[in-house]
Amino acid sequence: MGRDIQAIKFSGEDRGRYRDKLRRSLEVFARMLREHMFDAEPSQVGLEIELNLVDERGEPSMSNADVLAAIADPAWATELGQFNIEINVPPRRLDGDAVADLEHEVRNSLNAADTKARGTGSRLVMIGILPTLDEKDLHEGALSANARYKVLNEQIFAARGEDMRIAIEGTEQLVTHADSITPEAACTSVQLHVQTSPEAFASYWNAAQAIAGVQVALAANSPFLFGKQLWHETRITLFEQSTDTRPDELKHQGVRPRVWFGERWITSVFDLFEENIRYFPALLPICEDEDPQAELDQGACPHLAEMSLHNGTIYRWNRPVYAAVDGVPHLRVENRVLPAGPSVVDVMANAAFYYGLVRTLAEAQRPVWTQMSFATAEENLHEAARRGLDAQLYWPGLGDVPVPELVVRRLVPLAREGLGRWGVDPAQADRLLGIIEQRCVTGQNGATWQIGEVAALTAGGDVSRPEALRLMTQRYIEHMHTNEPVHTWPHTP
């Protein structure tokens, strides 16, 4: 949902016209699928990273406008909160040394941006939830100065009709209320894109859904929110709650949430876009001038702007993406479950594990999603978010199994096979998947390092929790810049 829009008010007529345009766009999309108009040889992957901004003390820095002006690079953009920015890494083929080149490119971009940010008094942090965030930091005034965020905030709360209640039961308990969507800004993620053909899309999406829990358990990096120790990947439940347009009555009626795992395995990408229109009212009913039917009749590629904008306001953990580049339409699976960080090499290890595993599972003769229920895949996601590497997840043929055992014995070999199919250099595959294995062996990922560091800092009773979180954040930044994988990070003596 990256479009810039002007601050406007929507009428019933606007909504009716938009609903009609959505339906016509869906009909055009169906025709494009029937006529095999999509890129015939998709083989590219992409990456987006959301980051937090902090001051020299490790506390939130509400200065993304100044930081982006200093960076002055179109690859960088605003995110929801003034303490967030995002980098979009250009797509590429995943073969040969592409993984090493991608890691080098991301490191250089982040280092250059951090240097420029320091000139404004800020620093960049890749972390799922910034541990020093306080409730007082998250209010409507903290939204980025972009009209789309203000309009989105207004529309979500107009749909709800009441303030948002956030309740999280973890190691400790948090209950709070919000009168804006800014708690969503606390959630910073890495989004992995895989371009796929229409024929293969369902297999890739189903495979991504099946492994979402494993991804989160391995990469959990969000154990603290508002000073409380909650889930290992608190970002999952916070994001689900902070963008919920439903008051309790609609929840009890079974109305679907906008942050949605889904409810079934699919047979076509069409299923997902059709569900979007069937189940979800528009939040931003903005119509463009394009007539998609006329465009198609004239041999042009329609942009289907309304369908894409609507899709961008439905936050599936694995989201379908339609786009057109140089007049050729294509489809992508956007994987959204991973938190940012801790280091660039950790991000690349998470990406390699996902890209390899999802390809092997998508191309398997007996698909994993035919051997487990959809509800079980969703339960795996939330179990993993609560307990991270300590979770036990269901896997076909194994039953409930500890994450380290499942990953090392069963899934890493499958991921290595998939990276081979992409054409990734075997030495690069071994290096990155070795990081995944070592997280399992050591039991240390971003979440457990953060928890352990805060425990070490507060052990003597002389350091308060808020001060420990601040000191831990500063040490996290130091370790992040070494680009050493998180399983090697030491704790304060």
Side-chain angles (χ1 to χ4, degrees), residues 43-45 94-95 194 204 355-356 359 418-424:
S43 58
Q44 295 198 109
V45 300
L94 193 67
D95 54 12
V194 174
Y204 274 85
Y355 289 138
R359 177 152 185 176
L419 291 175
R421 295 183 191 180
W422 283 111
V424 173

Side-chain angles (χ1 to χ4, degrees), residues 176-207:
T176 188
H177 290 79
D179 60 2
S180 74
I181 61 171
T182 47
E184 180 192 337
C187 307
T188 45
S189 65
V190 167
Q191 289 126 43
L192 304 175
H193 293 249
V194 174
Q195 186 181 343
T196 178
S197 68
E199 294 76 20
F201 185 95
S203 294
Y204 274 85
W205 188 85
N206 289 341

Side-chain angles (χ1 to χ4, degrees), residues 432-446:
L432 294 173
L433 294 179
I435 290 171
I436 297 296
E437 288 179 318
Q438 285 303 305
R439 274 191 223 154
C440 294
V441 171
T442 62
Q444 182 163 293
N445 59 11

Side-chain angles (χ1 to χ4, degrees), residues 213-372:
V214 179
Q215 287 182 272
V216 167
L218 286 168
N221 197 28
S222 312
F224 294 102
L225 175 64
F226 302 155
K228 305 276 191 179
Q229 183 183 332
L230 301 168
W231 293 11
H232 281 231
E233 189 49 36
T234 305
R235 188 184 117 266
I236 296 292
T237 185
L238 177 61
F239 193 70
E240 288 174 343
Q241 295 184 51
S242 62
T243 53
D244 201 339
T245 57
R246 307 167 302 164
D248 286 345
E249 293 82 359
L250 292 185
K251 293 178 187 178
H252 295 151
Q253 291 175 36
V255 172
R256 279 84 174 169
R258 292 192 91 95
V259 178
W260 200 30
F261 189 78
E263 59 192 16
R264 63 189 174 106
W265 306 117
I266 64 168
T267 58
S268 166
V269 63
F270 184 84
D271 296 348
L272 301 178
F273 285 105
E274 191 273 335
E275 283 180 349
N276 287 354
I277 295 172
R278 180 152 44 103
Y279 293 143
F280 298 98
L283 288 179
L284 301 172
I286 302 165
C287 287
E288 302 294 339
D289 292 336
E290 176 189 76
D291 181 338
Q293 185 70 56
E295 289 288 307
L296 198 56
D297 289 342
Q298 292 167 15
C301 173
H303 288 90
L304 305 182
E306 294 81 8
M307 189 179 83
S308 295
L309 177 60
H310 187 52
N311 183 54
T313 64
I314 299 156
Y315 306 96
R316 296 176 186 271
W317 290 115
N318 284 290
R319 177 191 277 167
V321 177
Y322 166 90
V325 177
D326 298 329
V328 180
H330 71 256
L331 296 170
R332 305 194 302 271
V333 176
E334 180 190 21
N335 178 255
R336 302 165 48 82
V337 299
L338 291 172
S343 65
V344 171
V345 74
D346 283 307
V347 170
M348 294 310 303
N350 294 338
F353 179 76
Y354 170 74
Y355 289 138
L357 183 57
V358 80
R359 177 152 185 176
T360 299
L361 295 179
E363 296 176 354
Q365 287 192 338
R366 190 184 177 200
V368 65
W369 57 91
T370 66
Q371 305 170 60
M372 66 191 294

Side-chain angles (χ1 to χ4, degrees), residues 48-99:
E48 302 171 62
I49 305 174
E50 298 167 352
L51 302 101
N52 288 284
L53 300 174
V54 297
D55 60 22
E56 61 183 13
R57 288 178 47 81
E59 295 174 343
S61 175
M62 304 291 178
S63 57
N64 66 357
D66 293 338
V67 169
L68 288 171
I71 294 173
D73 183 335
W76 292 84
T78 59
E79 257 299 326
L80 183 63
Q82 291 183 27
F83 56 94
N84 304 141
I85 58 175
E86 177 183 87
I87 180 172
N88 292 279
V89 183
R92 68 205 59 216
R93 294 177 62 89
L94 193 67
D95 54 12
D97 291 328
V99 173

